[in-house]
């Protein structure tokens, strides 16, 4: 008499995108360039900025309709990347005695933007889902 329809998500690409802490790749890239003494001047720096901006958009997309657990996990990674980036900048400045360059500051600004904007985006989306005027 009645038919049952079920829709299930098989995971796939969007599931993988949603689970990866993308901002960590920015910090790891900056740490790797310092460790391997790779200059960020020129093409490497421009590629870094382009990838960092794409990662920021991915993180903003991820922060949309999320569950409470996903939100907390995302916040954990955001706080951890801010801590790691601050540690890297402090290490460069106080231990190595070199000033962080433009690319370090751009990476740090994108990490801070992620940590500030993603909770706002998740909150805004939650308000929209509950039909609360904002």
């Amino acid at each position: 008499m009645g038919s049952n329809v079920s829709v299930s998500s098989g995971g796939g690409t969007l599931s993988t995108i949603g689970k990866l802490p993308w901002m960590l790749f920015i910090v790891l890239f900056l740490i790797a360039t310092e460790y391997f003494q790779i200059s960020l001047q020129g093409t490497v720096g421009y590629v870094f900025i382009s990838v960092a901006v794409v990662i920021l958009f991915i993180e903003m997309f991820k922060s949309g309709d999320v569950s409470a657990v996903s939100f907390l996990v995302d916040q954990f990674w955001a706080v951890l990347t801010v801590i790691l980036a601050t540690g890297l900048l402090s290490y460069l400045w106080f231990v190595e005695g070199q000033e962080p360059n433009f690319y370090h500051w751009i990476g740090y600004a994108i990490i801070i933007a992620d940590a500030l904007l993603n909770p706002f985006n998740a909150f805004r989306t939650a308000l929209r889902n509950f039909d609360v005027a904002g």
Side-chain angles (χ1 to χ4, degrees), residues 29 33-34 37-49 99-104:
F29 182 85
T33 57
E34 287 304 314
Q37 299 296 314
I38 299 171
S39 174
L40 288 171
Q41 302 298 322
T43 305
V44 175
Y46 297 133
V47 168
F48 169 71
I49 290 173
E99 258 186 62
N101 61 31
F102 170 76
Y103 301 100
H104 291 110

Side-chain angles (χ1 to χ4, degrees), residues 9-65:
S9 172
T13 306
L14 286 179
S15 178
T16 303
I17 288 174
K19 291 181 181 174
L20 286 175
W22 290 95
M23 281 295 156
L24 197 56
F25 292 124
I26 293 175
V27 176
L28 293 176
F29 182 85
L30 290 172
I31 291 172
T33 57
E34 287 304 314
Y35 182 76
F36 293 113
Q37 299 296 314
I38 299 171
S39 174
L40 288 171
Q41 302 298 322
T43 305
V44 175
Y46 297 133
V47 168
F48 169 71
I49 290 173
S50 300
V51 169
V53 169
V54 168
I55 287 175
L56 180 63
F57 282 112
I58 290 171
E59 287 287 344
M60 287 299 291
F61 177 73
K62 274 179 34 180
S63 70
D65 294 319

Side-chain angles (χ1 to χ4, degrees), residues 69-87:
V69 172
S70 297
F71 177 76
L72 288 176
V73 169
D74 194 39
Q75 287 307 295
F76 169 78
W77 286 115
V79 169
L80 183 66
T81 55
V82 168
I83 290 169
L84 290 173
T86 303

Side-chain angles (χ1 to χ4, degrees), residues 58-131:
I58 290 171
E59 287 287 344
M60 287 299 291
F61 177 73
K62 274 179 34 180
S63 70
D65 294 319
V66 295
S67 67
V69 172
S70 297
F71 177 76
L72 288 176
V73 169
D74 194 39
Q75 287 307 295
F76 169 78
W77 286 115
V79 169
L80 183 66
T81 55
V82 168
I83 290 169
L84 290 173
T86 303
L88 174 64
L89 291 177
S90 298
Y91 172 78
L92 289 175
W93 201 298
F94 297 113
V95 176
E96 292 291 317
Q98 73 181 48
E99 258 186 62
N101 61 31
F102 170 76
Y103 301 100
H104 291 110
W105 290 116
I106 288 293
Y108 192 69
I110 288 175
I111 289 168
I112 294 293
D114 169 64
L116 292 174
L117 294 176
N118 286 347
F120 171 75
N121 191 36
F123 183 71
R124 181 189 59 80
T125 304
L127 289 177
R128 183 195 70 213
N129 290 344
F130 288 122
D131 288 330

